Amino acid sequence: MEKKALIDHLNQDLSGELQAVIQYLTYSAKVTGPWRPQLVTFMQTELQDELLHAQFLADKIVALGGDPTTRARPVPAADTPQEMLKAILAAELQAGKDYTQRAEQADAFGDKGLAVQLEDMVRDETHHAEETAKLLKNWD
Ligand SMILES: [Fe+2]
Ligand SMILES: [Fe+2]
């Protein structure tokens, strides 16, 4: 894989992380109902992970000679906790898929450090997705 193509892909990932940061921030402000305290804690904890992912990607893009995007993917509108959790689950599953592919591309590019970091991020996103799926289960 060419360096330019890898940088472009990492910038798409960064857009996704910026979306995740905005998504967790706004959803945690908006979420209502009896589970609000738990959901706020959950979302704000996830937000810190996404912020670290975004920071890593921005730093790496610059290290590779690129320019980190400031554009976030659009955050889906959601009003109920279930709508929010479904939108979160979709984003987390997408991130896990994207980083799995990106780790392989980083390996093919010959940057083992990047590949290892991206694999760590696959683990984080898989954990986020599994926790979100558990929250969505048996919801009355
Ligand atoms: Fe992330
Ligand atoms: Fe995540």
Side-chain angles (χ1 to χ4, degrees):
M1 162 157 296
E2 295 288 316
K3 188 190 265 196
K4 168 87 172 66
L6 181 61
I7 291 169
D8 287 348
H9 287 309
L10 291 171
N11 257 325
Q12 288 161 21
D13 298 332
L14 178 54
S15 272
E17 291 295 347
L18 295 174
Q19 173 201 337
V21 167
I22 297 167
Q23 191 164 16
Y24 280 124
L25 188 146
T26 52
Y27 286 1
S28 73
K30 282 177 66 175
V31 70
T32 53
W35 303 108
R36 175 173 162 77
Q38 288 89 341
L39 291 170
V40 168
T41 301
F42 171 72
M43 290 176 187
Q44 289 183 352
T45 305
E46 307 288 293
L47 195 159
Q48 297 308 317
D49 284 348
E50 313 303 8
L51 206 48
L52 290 172
H53 295 164
Q55 184 67 73
F56 168 77
L57 290 171
D59 284 338
K60 187 69 194 186
I61 289 163
V62 172
L64 289 169
D67 192 22
T69 188
T70 56
R71 210 168 298 160
R73 283 184 200 150
V75 175
D79 289 313
T80 67
Q82 289 99 322
E83 284 170 1
M84 291 178 191
L85 289 169
K86 281 178 190 165
I88 287 168
L89 181 58
E92 296 292 356
L93 289 172
Q94 184 66 52
K97 255 169 66 178
D98 290 345
Y99 291 138
T100 300
Q101 192 187 34
R102 212 68 67 236
E104 288 165 8
Q105 291 168 339
D107 244 336
F109 177 70
D111 189 333
K112 191 66 194 170
L114 176 57
V116 168
Q117 176 67 32
L118 288 164
E119 282 173 3
D120 275 1
M121 286 157 67
V122 173
R123 181 203 52 211
D124 290 346
E125 308 301 11
T126 302
H127 179 66
H128 294 167
E130 287 174 355
E131 287 301 309
T132 308
K134 285 179 189 174
L135 283 171
L136 273 166
K137 216 170 171 189
N138 304 324
W139 191 296
D140 334 285

